[in-house]
Amino acid sequence: LSACSGEQSALAPGGEDAATIARIFWVMLWGAVVLWLAVNLAVYLARNNAPRRIGRRAANAVIIGGGVVLPLAVLTPLLIWGLAVLPDHRLPGEGLTIRVTGEQWWWRVEYLPQAGGEPVVAANEIRLPVGQRVTFELGARAVIHSLWIPALGGKMDMFPGRTTRLSLRATEPGVYRGQCAEFCGLSHAWMAFRAVAMPAADFAAWLEHEAGPAALPEGEAAMGAEVFAREGCGACHTIRGTEHAGRVGPDLTHVGSRLSLGAGRLPPSPANFADWIAEPGAFKPGVQMPGFGHLPRADLAALGTYMAGLR
Ligand code: CUA
């Protein structure tokens, strides 16, 4: 029952494919309930009636009717119907393509422009316009991951060196939780993200802002930007609008505007950013990012303020 609602439930659909999957589930469930009741009724009648002899022909009729005809009559239409309505994850998209790459343990997210050119790079959050079928181009860096947003549709594996595709159409604006669905190592369970389905106009405005450079830091955040540069964080992270252009870790250009930090791990508050930077492994065992717990607390706090202000 606890899995029938909420932001990560295939039974609380916010998308076309998930709605179909939920419908198949409920039809199967009620069908199974009817059959279960029928079987239990048969058991009840058999136990509560005195045994009596029946002829071979009647016995054969029971075996053939209940063992062959009934399953065929129930399962054949169910199979035909199930295959007919099964969502086609290869349906062509309607313009927008989002490339998602599984990393250890986070998501590289790139919005590919329709007219060609540089993709808009983000991470650990997927935004998509409501009503439009969006194509996902999936890959992975080192091991197999799987992209799954249960409230929007089915899952699709992500392989190193191979591109898989999935298309999804959100029908309800909302924030849904996505989760890696293929065991990929120590922090597989912490490899999550938020999928935000937005009205088309809001999405267009968001994407335009996301494509822009980072906000200029002021006050404590400017101090944080100095620490960021001094400690060499830019070797792994990009902040567009600055000289930092690392590609190893997540793009941080607008990291403060994301709904979570560490791929679904923590709410993105300045204090959480500071704690994360001090000891990422405490939150995500096995993470590749080294800890910076040796920095003075004031430097960590300034970094946290800088990160949270990157909106
Ligand atoms: Cu990535 Cu499990």
Side-chain angles (χ1 to χ4, degrees), residues 103 105 107 144-146 179-185 188-189 191:
E103 305 271 353
W105 288 269
W107 312 82
I144 301 175
H145 304 267
S146 179
Q179 168 68 42
C180 180
E182 179 73 45
F183 181 70
C184 53
H188 155 71
M191 188 170 170

Side-chain angles (χ1 to χ4, degrees), residues 273-306:
F273 271 111
D275 290 344
W276 169 272
I277 295 163
E279 202 183 346
F283 301 97
K284 191 163 279 205
V287 70
Q288 289 176 350
M289 174 170 159
F292 288 80
H294 56 276
L295 294 181
R297 199 61 218 173
D299 283 5
L300 288 168
L303 272 173
T305 303
Y306 178 41

Side-chain angles (χ1 to χ4, degrees), residues 11 21 37 48 63 74 101-103 155 177 211 214 224 227 232 237 248 254 263 302:
L11 302 180
I21 292 168
L37 288 174
N48 288 275
I63 290 169
V74 172
T101 310
E103 305 271 353
K155 67 184 90 160
R177 191 173 187 277
V227 179
H237 295 286
V248 178
H254 299 292

